[in-house]
């Protein structure tokens, strides 16, 4: 079975959707472990599905490299085929990325390369755009700069605030994520050559 490790920081609603999809016997991937940089509420979803969890606590930017090394060690112990960053609100150090690249993907609540970074929804609203989106990318050393695997447009409504817009984006993120993990697990999409199998990628 194709195995997935998921890293989160927050409520883990996208994680929960992936756990639910993976609990179907038809789904070609299994979530084997969920990690976090804090006591994230979303860890409860993993526990509800009987999936082991771990925490590597964030100890500040000065300790980023040590944090990344510890995280990578925890992940390596599980030998996952794929690592999904699903709302991990920390930038992985380059050394940690290179240990797994290109087998790390990230969900992002904007139509990349528009609005990279930790405040994508707020930034889209501040820019006054009429459309934003959701994206799934391969993680590289930069901030949301890796190859785009999938993305979809989502309208910004006149009365949207950050919370309402984000809640409309997340279901699209979930659908794209579940589909992408399926495609990677079945070999329909090769992370070493993503653009060959995804005509929408850029
Ligand atoms: C998602 O929009 C993710 O892309 C962003 O944080 C959100 C995580 O939401 N970076 P949740 O924790 O899955 O509810």
């Amino acid at each position: 079975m194709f195995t997935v490790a998921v890293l989160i920081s927050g409520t883990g609603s996208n994680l929960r959707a992936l756990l639910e999809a993976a609990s179907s016997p038809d789904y070609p991937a299994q979530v084997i472990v969920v990690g976090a940089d804090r006591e994230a509420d979303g860890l409860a979803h993993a526990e509800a599905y009987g999936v082991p969890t771990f925490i590597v606590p964030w100890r500040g930017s000065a300790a980023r490299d040590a944090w990344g090394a510890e995280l990578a060690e925890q992940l390596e112990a599980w030998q996952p085929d794929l690592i999904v960053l699903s709302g991990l609100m920390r930038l992985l150090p380059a050394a940690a990325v290179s240990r797994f690249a290109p087998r790390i993907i990230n969900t992002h609540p904007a139509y990349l390369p528009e609005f990279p970074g930790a405040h994508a929804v707020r930034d889209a609203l501040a820019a006054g755009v009429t459309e934003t989106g959701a994206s799934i990318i391969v993680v590289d050393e930069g901030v949301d700069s890796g190859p785009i695997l999938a993305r979809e447009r989502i309208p910004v409504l006149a009365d949207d605030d950050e919370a309402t817009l984000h809640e409309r984006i997340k279901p699209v993120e979930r659908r794209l994520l579940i589909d992408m993990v399926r495609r990677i697990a079945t070999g329909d999409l090769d992370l070493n050559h993503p653009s060959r199998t995804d005509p929408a990628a850029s």
Side-chain angles (χ1 to χ4, degrees), residues 67-178:
W67 174 79
E70 203 182 318
L71 192 66
E73 256 168 54
Q74 290 272 357
L75 289 167
E76 261 166 13
W78 290 91
Q79 297 275 300
D81 295 312
L82 180 71
I83 297 166
V84 174
L85 309 189
S86 183
L88 180 72
M89 298 308 282
R90 305 287 175 198
L91 193 61
L92 285 185
V97 172
S98 66
R99 275 162 87 162
F100 301 100
R103 294 179 296 111
I104 315 176
I105 64 171
N106 184 32
T107 67
H108 186 73
Y111 195 81
L112 288 168
E114 299 169 6
F115 309 115
H119 307 293
V121 182
R122 193 184 310 168
D123 293 347
L125 282 171
V129 293
T130 56
E131 280 185 324
T132 182
S135 308
I136 310 289
I137 61 167
V138 179
V139 173
D140 67 6
E141 288 78 9
V143 178
D144 300 321
S145 55
I148 296 164
L149 300 176
R151 55 186 178 173
E152 194 168 306
R153 283 288 187 192
I154 294 155
V156 179
L157 305 182
D159 58 352
D160 263 334
D161 59 23
E162 190 176 351
T164 60
L165 180 54
H166 204 166
E167 282 314 306
R168 281 211 327 289
I169 292 171
K170 280 189 187 183
V172 179
E173 279 188 76
R174 286 171 204 146
R175 177 164 44 75
L176 294 178
L177 175 64
I178 290 166

